[in-house]
Amino acid sequence: MASVFTKIINGELPGRFVYRDETVVAFLTIEPLRYGHTLVVPIKEVDKWTDLDAATWAHLNEVAQKVGQACIESFGTPRAGYIIAGFDVPHTHIHVFPTEKMSEYDFSKAMAMDATDDATMDDAAAKLRDALGTTEQFS
């Protein structure tokens, strides 16, 4: 059965995409630590990051770094957070988010899906696409 991320990638579920190429996508999470919190996901469904082939792993991290730089630029934070947790969805993904302090690395403080503001989420995605130089929404 396809993961929820595969369904988003295939357009079966909605997603606020900020980047897409033939190997990797990046879209906003529905339960962000902060607005701009992005998931960088390989298109190929692989459960554990430790099982990715070396080329996909390298490219995934290259895109995560670009998204991180876009987070810093778009949201004016001194750093971008990077987390691989891997328990919530059985499809490798890297969490990248704008951050100012270590205490923001706490998923228990993530915004609930129904607590986020749609306009602010859309604006965050637009800012990241602009910083990444991607003009389409990949929908």
Side-chain angles (χ1 to χ4, degrees):
M1 187 163 123
S3 77
V4 66
F5 291 162
T6 296
K7 291 178 180 180
I8 293 168
I9 292 164
N10 292 338
E12 298 169 39
L13 293 173
R16 287 182 174 92
F17 287 84
V18 299
Y19 179 89
R20 183 177 196 123
D21 64 28
E22 65 282 345
T23 307
V24 172
V25 297
F27 50 85
L28 297 189
T29 182
I30 58 172
E31 294 183 328
L33 295 173
R34 288 181 67 153
Y35 288 106
H37 183 162
T38 303
L39 302 177
V40 183
V41 183
I43 292 172
K44 181 179 178 185
E45 193 171 308
V46 176
D47 181 6
K48 297 183 249 176
W49 67 271
T50 51
D51 292 338
L52 287 174
D53 63 90
T56 301
W57 171 246
H59 186 60
L60 187 71
N61 279 278
E62 181 182 332
V63 173
Q65 187 175 39
K66 289 177 184 178
V67 170
Q69 291 165 341
C71 282
I72 291 167
E73 178 183 324
S74 298
F75 301 99
T77 57
R79 295 194 184 267
Y82 174 111
I83 298 174
I84 298 174
F87 291 100
D88 46 348
V89 177
H91 189 146
T92 298
H93 57 287
I94 299 172
H95 294 261
V96 179
F97 56 97
T99 189
E100 296 179 31
K101 53 193 171 216
M102 209 45 216
S103 62
E104 293 177 328
Y105 283 73
D106 184 349
F107 285 105
S108 71
K109 296 178 183 176
M111 291 178 245
M113 179 175 49
D114 60 355
T116 59
D117 178 73
D118 283 340
T120 305
M121 292 287 282
D122 290 342
D123 183 58
K127 285 179 180 178
L128 289 167
R129 280 192 297 272
D130 185 55
L132 290 163
T134 54
T135 55
E136 58 184 295
Q137 294 185 28
F138 311 103
S139 44

